[in-house]
């Protein structure tokens, strides 16, 4: 009996030692680590600036990127900077909808920029401005915004509206998120979110002459973002028609997105 207990104890000890060794050679991966791609960087005087993104390029429509700004001792100066996004078109300039906040990722401080580029670089030249009066910083960083076709523009009652598709990058058979954002132009530099609309979504597969069931028209979530669902019941060519309303009045003409997968 004693020998049996001793044998079991030795087995448990050996197992625990093996487990500890296995843990040491296979540390738990930091799931908070984010892979960031460098978009553009610049060193000016005592400061270094870098624009990075989880995507490899900035794109027309919804695009999230981050700005790392440091002094020559590698200390972050993110909290000291103001950011603007500018499109230069000959003698005219304008901005685009965006929000900023300072965040920490990979143990570093960044300015997170949640932007909606209302046009691609083909229409002009985009650049980012970084400014600080107290630190005498006034920098320009040129960047390229690739075309996607995700932004639809229309005019209603002499005001420009911009409707941006923010989903369906990788559509699949079945239910898919259908997310849009809506902004208007108050001035060339101010593009507030539109939050008071209702929507209607209609699906059609032109080659087969049928639609789909179970679609959910987007409703406003926050900051001009509207979330719904669309159902692709088979692969092929699809046409999504979106109607925007304020009360009972339709705003602009129906917006059409087409895709084939």
């Amino acid at each position: 009996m004693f020998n049996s207990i001793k044998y079991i104890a030795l087995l448990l000890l050996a197992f625990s030692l093996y487990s500890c060794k296995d843990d040491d050679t296979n540390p738990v991966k930091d799931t908070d680590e984010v892979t960031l791609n460098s978009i553009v960087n610049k060193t000016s005087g005592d400061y270094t600036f870098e624009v990075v993104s989880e995507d490899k390029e900035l794109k027309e429509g919804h695009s999230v990127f981050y700005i790392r700004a440091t002094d020559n001792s590698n200390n972050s100066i993110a909290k000291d900077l103001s950011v603007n996004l500018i499109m230069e078109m000959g003698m005219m300039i304008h901005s685009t909808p965006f929000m900023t906040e300072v965040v920490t990722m990979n143990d570093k401080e960044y300015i997170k920029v949640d932007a909606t580029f209302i046009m691609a670089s083909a229409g002009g030249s985009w650049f980012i401005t970084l400014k600080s009066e107290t630190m005498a910083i006034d920098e320009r960083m040129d960047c390229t915004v690739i075309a996607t076709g995700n932004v639809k523009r229309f005019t209603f009652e002499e005001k420009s509206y911009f409707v941006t598709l923010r989903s369906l990058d990788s559509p699949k058979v079945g239910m898919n998120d259908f997310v849009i954002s809506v902004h208007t132009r108050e001035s060339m530099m101010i593009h507030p979110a539109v939050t008071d609309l209702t929507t209607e979504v209609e699906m059609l597969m032109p080659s087969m002459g049928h639609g789909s069931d179970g679609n959910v028209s987007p409703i406003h979530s926050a900051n001009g973002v509207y979330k719904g669902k669309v159902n692709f019941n088979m692969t092929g060519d699809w046409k999504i028609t979106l109607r925007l309303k304020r009360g009972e009045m339709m705003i602009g003409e129906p917006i059409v997105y087409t895709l084939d997968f």
Side-chain angles (χ1 to χ4, degrees):
M1 178 70 176
F2 176 77
N3 288 336
S4 297
I5 295 173
K6 183 177 179 181
Y7 179 72
I8 293 171
L10 288 172
L11 283 176
L12 290 173
L13 177 61
F15 179 77
S16 65
L17 289 173
Y18 177 81
S19 298
C20 291
K21 182 179 179 181
D22 186 63
D23 288 343
D24 290 340
T25 56
N26 296 281
V28 176
K29 185 177 180 180
D30 182 4
T31 56
D32 293 329
E33 187 171 336
V34 179
T35 300
L36 298 171
N37 302 293
S38 181
I39 304 296
V40 61
N41 59 74
K42 178 180 184 179
T43 298
S44 179
D46 293 332
Y47 305 106
T48 299
F49 310 95
E50 184 177 22
V51 176
V52 297
S53 175
E54 293 181 61
D55 297 321
K56 294 183 178 180
E57 299 171 296
L58 303 182
K59 57 188 178 181
E60 175 193 11
H62 186 226
S63 198
V64 176
F65 60 94
Y66 305 86
I67 302 171
R68 172 79 171 152
T70 56
D71 61 19
N72 55 11
S73 298
N74 205 34
N75 297 312
S76 174
I77 58 170
K79 291 185 174 71
D80 300 300
L81 296 176
S82 63
V83 177
N84 205 350
L85 309 180
I86 304 293
M87 162 63 89
E88 194 171 51
M89 304 174 66
M91 299 296 292
M92 182 180 71
I93 63 170
H94 65 78
S95 187
T96 200
F98 72 97
M99 299 181 295
T100 64
E101 62 175 323
V102 176
V103 299
T104 300
M105 295 190 308
N106 304 345
D107 297 323
K108 295 179 181 179
E109 199 170 67
Y110 294 87
I111 303 170
K112 177 182 178 181
V113 184
D114 190 322
T116 301
F117 287 105
I118 57 178
M119 62 190 303
S121 290
S125 300
W126 280 105
F127 61 92
I128 302 165
T129 64
L130 303 171
K131 295 185 179 183
S132 170
E133 290 186 8
T134 57
M135 304 181 75
I137 294 173
D138 187 354
E139 297 295 335
R140 166 177 170 155
M141 300 183 73
D142 293 285
C143 56
T144 299
V145 176
I146 64 168
T148 63
N150 285 341
V151 180
K152 306 292 186 182
R153 175 181 174 176
F154 65 88
T155 301
F156 179 74
E157 294 183 344
E158 300 183 352
K159 183 175 285 190
S160 294
Y161 287 79
F162 304 89
V163 182
T164 303
L165 179 63
R166 297 168 64 123
S167 62
L168 299 179
D169 288 335
S170 302
K172 65 181 188 299
V173 173
M175 297 300 290
N176 292 254
D177 291 333
F178 182 55
V179 183
I180 62 165
S181 61
V182 186
H183 295 85
T184 189
R185 174 172 284 165
E186 187 173 292
S187 70
M188 297 303 284
M189 304 304 289
I190 301 175
H191 297 77
V194 180
T195 63
D196 63 342
L197 302 180
T198 57
T199 72
E200 294 177 358
V201 65
E202 179 183 347
M203 299 289 290
L204 176 66
M205 192 173 196
S207 63
M208 302 294 288
H210 65 72
S212 63
D213 297 325
N215 302 292
V216 180
S217 295
I219 60 174
H220 184 252
S221 172
N223 301 316
V225 176
Y226 294 73
K227 297 181 178 180
K229 297 279 187 180
V230 290
N231 180 25
F232 300 116
N233 49 27
M234 61 188 299
T235 58
D237 59 316
W238 284 94
K239 175 182 175 183
I240 305 172
T241 301
L242 177 70
R243 296 176 177 85
L244 304 177
K245 291 185 175 182
R246 180 174 284 122
E248 295 300 317
M249 181 181 295
M250 186 167 168
I251 305 297
E253 296 297 319
I255 295 164
V256 176
Y257 293 101
T258 59
L259 64 158
D260 196 335
F261 71 100

